[in-house]
Amino acid sequence: MNLQLTAPQRASAAIALPFSKSITNRALLIQALCGDDWPQVFHPALCHDTAVMVKALAHNTNSPINIEGSGTAMRFLTAYFATRQGFTVTLDGNQRMRQRPIGVLVDALRALGADIRYLGEDGFPPLLITGKTLHGGEVVMDGGVSSQFISAVMMVLPTIGGGTIRLEGDIVSAPYIHMTASVMHDMGASVDLTGNCITIGTGYKGNDYIVEADWSAAAPWYALGAVLPGSTFTLKGLVADSIQGDARLVELGRRLGIDTRFDVQGATLDTSHFIGCCCSCFADMAATPDLVPSWTVLMCLLERSFRMTGVRNLKHKESNRVEALRDELLKLGYVLKIEGEDAISWYGERCDIGERPPVIDPHDDHRMAMAFAPAAARFPGLVITDAEVVDKSYPGFWRHLRDAGFTINQLAQ
């Protein structure tokens, strides 16, 4: 599905954001691990990634499981099926998933007694997992690859006797580890995070869980508030004391003069004090990698020079987001610089793009599609191809843009 977008000059809308898929998939996994003490998960996210998770957790045969492009499902289910005694499953995904490393997680689970074999290249899916009784204890993991590896081990530890995870090196996406600890605690597990050591007790109590609205899904709305000054968006369901690291949007928005006001409905974005491109932006995004696409595109649209560090792991996402951002921003005339392994920057360098509306390829990545939507405010008639990729986390995104005043036309393919 290819969509052509034209933005209004100003917008006002109340948006019912989707619930968090990150929290949902954690709660669903713990729900399945609880067995007979089956807790309820209220307000689960309804999107592609959670549907994949639900289907896989209901799997009761030894036939292959294809989780397509869901990285969360691949990591969490690897740990889950490793503990399912009597089950042997093949866990696979799409071609991109076969390029995303999983060796750190497999090594950690093997250290706890798991039987996991690679069916292709070592360190990458597909995996052949033979479930067995694992043992708890101490495991050492590299904290600099993916927080999902750490979260996967954390969540199964209470069901195999508890234990300790010692993290080595720099820790990426640390808020997601804290999110996992919070969900586990609320569902009845004992979790202690002290420095680089995570200590987990035995068992869950099977407590019910209520999922928050998704702060990651708020990123394009903050960007729209910045490129359409004077607009007002109420993002229903967001809470100030969120367990999600992407609530950092409040602080990032404040730097631009976007105020966030909370009430019982959610968060309202006030852009009446928007200050635009008054200074350069320097930010470490290691803790909030899902914000990088939207914030990178936004800084370019505002013609605000910036440098972002902490982007090393973006190459392992649904797309290589660093390269994808560089390639697609070039279509808008912005020359993004890639600085080594861990930084990107833009200091005003532009190139000619001609007069035709740009055509953006989201690289089969939901975050990329949503990040470039606000560019229609600067490039009327902007086209985004394969726009249905947003179904991965935010199926209602294009409908919500229409509600906000965007003109969106589907093009013939």
Side-chain angles (χ1 to χ4, degrees), residues 17 215-228 233 235 238 246-254 256 258-262 267-271 274 291 294-295 298 302 374:
L17 287 178
W215 268 102
S216 301
W221 295 103
Y222 273 83
L224 281 169
V227 296
L228 299 174
F233 299 117
L235 306 179
L238 293 182
D246 285 354
R248 183 189 183 189
L249 280 167
V250 174
E251 177 258 326
L252 290 174
R254 189 180 298 118
L256 300 176
I258 299 175
D259 293 327
T260 306
R261 300 193 307 269
F262 291 94
T268 297
L269 312 187
D270 179 2
T271 64
F274 178 71
L291 300 185
S294 280
W295 227 248
L298 174 60
L302 297 177

Side-chain angles (χ1 to χ4, degrees), residues 365-380:
D365 190 331
H366 58 136
R367 302 283 178 216
M368 288 287 293
M370 290 185 282
F372 276 90
R378 298 285 188 269
F379 301 89

Side-chain angles (χ1 to χ4, degrees), residues 136-366:
E138 182 173 307
V139 63
V140 178
M141 300 184 70
D142 183 352
V145 181
S146 171
S147 64
Q148 291 177 1
F149 299 161
I150 299 160
S151 291
V153 176
M154 288 173 65
M155 287 186 286
V156 298
L157 271 176
T159 68
I160 62 172
T164 300
I165 303 172
R166 297 194 181 277
L167 303 179
E168 294 185 332
D170 295 331
I171 301 173
V172 298
S173 304
Y176 285 94
I177 297 173
H178 288 272
M179 174 194 291
T180 303
S182 178
V183 177
M184 291 175 65
H185 176 269
D186 288 350
M187 297 184 80
S190 170
V191 186
D192 177 74
L193 278 66
T194 303
N196 281 23
C197 183
I198 306 170
T199 304
I200 296 172
T202 300
Y204 288 101
K205 293 180 182 177
N207 300 337
D208 294 342
Y209 193 83
I210 301 174
V211 179
E212 296 181 2
D214 186 11
W215 268 102
S216 301
W221 295 103
Y222 273 83
L224 281 169
V227 296
L228 299 174
S231 297
T232 302
F233 299 117
T234 296
L235 306 179
K236 296 181 180 179
L238 293 182
V239 294
D241 57 344
S242 173
I243 65 171
Q244 300 171 66
D246 285 354
R248 183 189 183 189
L249 280 167
V250 174
E251 177 258 326
L252 290 174
R254 189 180 298 118
R255 295 187 192 181
L256 300 176
I258 299 175
D259 293 327
T260 306
R261 300 193 307 269
F262 291 94
D263 57 24
V264 293
Q265 281 198 80
T268 297
L269 312 187
D270 179 2
T271 64
S272 60
H273 302 295
F274 178 71
I275 56 178
C277 50
C278 65
C279 60
S280 297
C281 172
F282 300 92
D284 181 358
M285 306 297 282
T288 52
D290 284 345
L291 300 185
V292 172
S294 280
W295 227 248
T296 298
V297 175
L298 174 60
M299 292 297 101
C300 289
L301 294 175
L302 297 177
E303 299 193 351
R304 183 169 181 170
S305 60
F306 69 88
R307 186 174 188 269
M308 294 183 193
T309 57
V311 303
R312 179 186 308 272
N313 287 345
L314 292 184
K315 63 184 177 182
H316 298 310
K317 297 293 185 177
E318 285 83 346
S319 65
N320 182 327
R321 287 180 180 164
V322 171
E323 292 185 359
L325 282 166
R326 177 197 60 195
D327 294 347
E328 301 310 308
L329 281 168
L330 199 61
K331 297 176 182 178
L332 304 183
Y334 304 106
V335 183
L336 185 72
K337 298 292 186 183
I338 300 175
E339 302 181 12
E341 289 288 323
D342 201 41
I344 55 176
S345 63
W346 184 74
Y347 291 107
E349 187 175 351
R350 298 292 301 271
C351 65
D352 183 38
I353 64 169
E355 296 183 359
R356 298 184 63 184
V359 177
I360 299 298
D361 174 6
H363 296 250
D364 200 28
D365 190 331
H366 58 136

Side-chain angles (χ1 to χ4, degrees), residues 377-406:
R378 298 285 188 269
F379 301 89
L382 177 86
V383 174
I384 296 182
T385 64
D386 299 324
E388 66 277 6
V389 296
V390 301
D391 291 351
K392 181 178 176 68
S393 63
Y394 193 166
F397 180 67
W398 304 117
R399 174 171 52 84
H400 287 169
L401 274 188
R402 286 191 177 98
D403 292 343
F406 272 65

